[in-house]
Amino acid sequence: MRSPLVFGVGMSVALSGLGACSDAPSGPCRTVVVAVAASVAAPMRTAAARFQGNEVDGRCVSVRIEPRSPASVSETLAGTVEEPGAAPPDAWIPDSSLWIPLARSGSAGPAAVASAGPSLASSPIVWVLSASAARRFGAQGAKASWRSLMPSGIPDPKQRANADAPRFVVPEPATSTAGMGPLLALHTLAGPGQRGLLNFATAMLALRAMTVKDPVAVHAAVGETGRTTIGVASEQSLLENEAVGERTLVPVYPTEGTIVLDYPYARVTHDRGQGKAADAFGRFLGEQTTRELLINAGFRTPEGRAGTALDPKLGFAPEPPKRIQLPDSASAVKIREMWNRMRLGARLLDVLDVSPSMRQKVPGTSTSRLTALSRQIQQSLQLTPDFVEIGLWEFATRLDGARDHREVVPIRAVGSAKNGVRQRERLISAVARSTPVPGTHTGLYDTILAGFREVSRHHRPEVFNVVTVFTDGEESDPFNGMKLDELIRTLREEYDPARPVSIIIGAYGDDIDTRPLKRIVQVTGGKVYLSKDPRQAQRIFGDLLVRMLCNGAQCPVA
């Protein structure tokens, strides 16, 4: 059985011998499998070779170093993903303690690894620039700041980029700790409460457009000529990637501090004999002569002391940079889950009221409610990422035979195209053409149920599924329309917590009774937004962005 024990620092196990490993009278040689982050694999192999031939409890021990992604090992230990053909490790050296709570977050995690053990080395996450760009950066008096990655609002893909502004490239946060670093830094800067959560969500949306496959792709992008590119990588990764040929890339240290990779050693076996052998190797790694291997490979000591490999003439700071503390375990898990949901997107059905009351003017303007709301929806569609799925209905009464709604655009990914027309343009054009339908009424309740059933029928379990209703009125269907109590009863019967579909209502006007609307959305964990002016619709779009990524207790609110 495998164990949650983390290696200890006691000296109860005697080590002896440095020769080749061979069977001993007490039994055959024991092989300890140590899964390590790729960046530390080379010095760990050297350390394992030096350790070869030591005996623990009278049996010879050999150590097999296996480079594995910390993300995949954490998922394997958590019991959420299997690594085909990979032997279960006896010990684990991820590049950051961040992966320990992520490993523990799954059903099997608490029984696999308890907590991080002692740090073996450290390497701060830095900005990476070409030497020429760094000189221009300094000459302009510019400062490296994580805040420059924090947009002032939801990023607009239509906005033309400033050709002189630098572009950022970040390794994929789902698989790279260097990629998670900016996320963690931005979370600390986003601020508290719901406003801070929206700030963080918009920063996360902007960061998605900056991601590349891995740290190697970061270095390649920074080395390209033309527009200034700023990469994000660990200090040791920069040194390693620049080890061959002329050094052209240099580190720049963010002013607020940075996330530091700390390379903990954790025992993840419950077998007594394997565990004692793994502990012995862990103690061997803690010896000064062994730690010099890491320092010579471009790592710092756990306390941040730099070795000669991190030469100040190459731009490396002799003093350790200020550390941004990792979030608590629960928040770290939630932040990564938010990022994973960002990658997956959402499935939305927008439902737009086209009853005659939408002709009323917005106070102080000559613009109708429908026109003002239409403009806000068009703007939100311009800002929506390509991977989000959106469709459009209009509703009043009897718009499609006996039905109060009509499908205008079916639900598809905003970035997809059909017959040469992209979904985004199709939606924007349809919303712009929407006009109030004379002689109709507000068939609100029948439409809400129909929309709920449509999204439920094609529910995607891995994403946020929502019906967003924009209306300025109350139920007024004279054609035997559904009653409020009937709608609420039906929603309660059909709502499945395992396949949740939320209803969100944007209500516009001075005299709307929101009490029935609140009863409706309460069934599905949705929300009602009351605005006197449709131009305030951006509140809904911001909230939808946050809900796409997390909800309630799932959110890492500072």
Side-chain angles (χ1 to χ4, degrees), residues 338-417:
M338 283 182 70
W339 178 259
N340 287 335
R341 294 194 73 173
M342 168 69 74
R343 297 164 66 212
L344 293 170
R347 184 175 178 84
L348 285 73
L349 176 60
D350 287 346
V351 183
L352 183 58
D353 188 346
V354 291
S355 60
S357 61
M358 294 295 283
R359 281 202 182 97
Q360 294 182 32
K361 304 298 181 184
V362 174
T365 76
S366 59
T367 304
S368 71
R369 288 176 172 175
L370 183 56
T371 299
L373 182 56
S374 169
R375 290 172 180 169
Q376 290 295 311
I377 294 175
Q378 290 177 66
Q379 181 183 2
S380 76
L381 289 167
Q382 295 281 19
L383 307 180
T384 302
D386 286 350
F387 54 89
V388 174
E389 298 179 4
I390 299 182
L392 176 68
W393 284 7
E394 295 176 341
F395 80 98
T397 49
R398 304 289 178 95
L399 292 187
D400 183 8
R403 295 194 305 185
D404 293 340
H405 71 274
R406 60 187 173 203
E407 182 182 72
V408 182
V409 181
I411 300 177
R412 296 192 187 95
V414 169
S416 66

Side-chain angles (χ1 to χ4, degrees), residues 48-59:
R50 292 180 178 179
F51 183 76
Q52 193 87 347
N54 279 279
E55 290 185 6
V56 177
D57 282 354
R59 287 183 61 178

Side-chain angles (χ1 to χ4, degrees), residues 485-527:
D485 288 344
E486 181 185 359
L487 171 61
I488 291 174
R489 182 176 64 254
T490 306
L491 287 174
R492 284 175 177 162
E493 292 171 353
E494 298 185 11
Y495 180 78
D496 183 357
R499 293 167 52 87
V501 173
S502 295
I503 297 171
I504 292 177
I505 300 177
Y508 303 96
D510 295 324
D511 55 354
I512 295 179
D513 182 2
T514 60
R515 288 174 296 179
L517 304 181
K518 290 178 180 178
R519 289 182 61 194
I520 294 168
V521 301
Q522 187 177 27
V523 177
T524 68
K527 194 171 183 178

